[in-house]
Amino acid sequence: MTFRWITALAAAALLLAACGGSDDNDRTKAKLRLVNASSAYAEIDLFVEDTLRQGSVGYGNTASYVEVDPGEADSKITRSGSTTALLSFTPGIERDKHYTVLAYGAEGALRQMLVDDNVGEPDSGRALLRVVNAAPDAGKLDIYLTAADEPLASAVPVQAGAEYGVANGLLTVDSTSWRLRVTAAGSKTDLRLDLPALVLESKQVATLVLTPARGGVLMNTLLLTQQAGIARQDTALARVRVAAGVADSGAVSAAVGGRVLMASVGSPAVGLYALLPAGTQPVALAVNGTALAAPAVTLAAGADYSLLVRGTPAAPQSGWIEDDNHRAADSRQVRLRLVNGVADLAAPLSMTVDFVPVADGVTAGAASGYASLDATLTAQFSVTAAGLATPLFTAVDQPLVAGAVYTVFAVGAQSAAVGILRKDH
């Protein structure tokens, strides 16, 4: 009898060893995983005590949990293949518990957040959800979980004023398929995300991470399930506006994807951004009631665009410019660019702010790159063209608010050019 028990125990020990047994579940160690929530970094690595523990972790991805000694957990995150730290930290972890290191933030400003993956599960039919605003350009956000057909105007946010880089408390919600909408805090019209189905399972404990989309304003999501997988859902929307810059006050009409964005509006004018489905969309244009041929446009999900209509009423032209509405890395600065929509002028444009060059060589129908400069309340602008003795236009005492993104549209006829300073974000 005793021999049989010893034999059984020995067999069980061999079976545990073959399956990984204690080596796969060392209760003296913590379990740690890295999640990349920063699309600014294609792949990142996690080092613990200068040893690579998880490598080549792409946006929205993670490796499995790895065991880490809580007393020896000095860590750093690097670009994949590099040993130079993007950030260094020592996570506050405990033995025999699971944690997620959430890496998020803009290029050159990576952050990390330690997420506790040891929360007790809720009752059947319920789910626990925490929200993390990981979009550095978004500002505070309101989060709505509603039925598919509930109007946003009457909805109440489940989380209001979610701040960047803050893990909000756990919300207890029904386990079902929710419509998820995210807006700027306090606004029902500044819609940043609209997902038709965010599925939360019974007894699920999840972290909803809001990340910036391509243009810096719209948003994508990662849903991290505690001690389980990641569900990535990107926005299916883009934002489009029309800039009417036809000479002689030419009236511009524009529709994209069947949605009217401008209806016989006299130039110069710059419309507000409108949400449109990403993908290939038809474009219909007219100037002073005469149709202007325009090819279909393919809108990238999450991107922002300006449709520039320029030239003369007799010979109008149109073109697309992709906008980058990410804020400056330095919160004390602004980002600024020049768009050349001047008619009947072949020479490229240049621009100075307070006599400092910020754009040059901007050809007709094109935009300069973005310049970062200090905020001020008294900026002086000057837009010039090679070969012209005087500036096309100047402006003084123009406020540039810290953290904002601006475009200067130079439009109209050369002899009566107009400059439009537009705050884009």
Side-chain angles (χ1 to χ4, degrees), residues 107-266:
E107 177 86 23
L110 192 67
R111 295 187 180 189
Q112 65 82 25
M113 176 185 296
L114 188 67
V115 179
D116 183 358
D117 288 341
N118 306 284
V119 178
E121 65 182 27
D123 294 336
S124 178
R126 305 285 270 171
L128 290 176
L129 182 71
R130 69 165 63 87
V131 177
V132 176
N133 175 358
D137 306 306
K140 295 182 181 181
L141 300 169
D142 290 345
I143 294 89
Y144 297 83
L145 296 178
T146 70
D149 58 352
E150 182 177 348
L152 189 58
S154 60
V156 177
V158 295
Q159 180 71 58
E163 297 185 42
Y164 174 59
V166 176
N168 293 283
L170 286 161
L171 306 168
T172 302
V173 298
D174 290 338
S175 55
T176 187
S177 178
W178 295 98
R179 182 178 179 182
L180 169 65
R181 282 171 285 189
V182 178
T183 68
S187 172
K188 295 289 186 76
T189 58
D190 189 356
L191 186 63
R192 307 294 183 82
L193 176 69
D194 188 353
L195 291 182
L198 177 73
V199 179
L200 297 176
E201 304 290 347
S202 179
K203 299 186 177 183
Q204 183 178 10
V205 180
T207 299
L208 177 67
V209 185
L210 303 173
T211 66
R214 176 167 171 159
V217 174
L218 297 180
M219 315 196 76
N220 298 321
T221 68
L222 302 174
L223 188 68
L224 284 56
T225 298
Q226 177 173 277
Q227 299 186 35
I230 298 174
R232 172 180 171 177
Q233 285 187 277
D234 292 350
T235 183
L237 300 174
R239 297 199 310 161
V240 175
R241 67 178 175 184
V242 178
V246 180
D248 302 324
S249 301
V252 173
S253 297
V256 179
R259 179 171 179 177
V260 175
L261 302 181
M262 193 168 277
S264 297
V265 175

Side-chain angles (χ1 to χ4, degrees), residues 386-408:
L388 295 184
T390 58
L392 289 171
F393 72 87
T394 59
V396 297
D397 294 334
Q398 299 297 304
L400 298 176
V401 179
V405 182
Y406 294 92
T407 297
V408 173

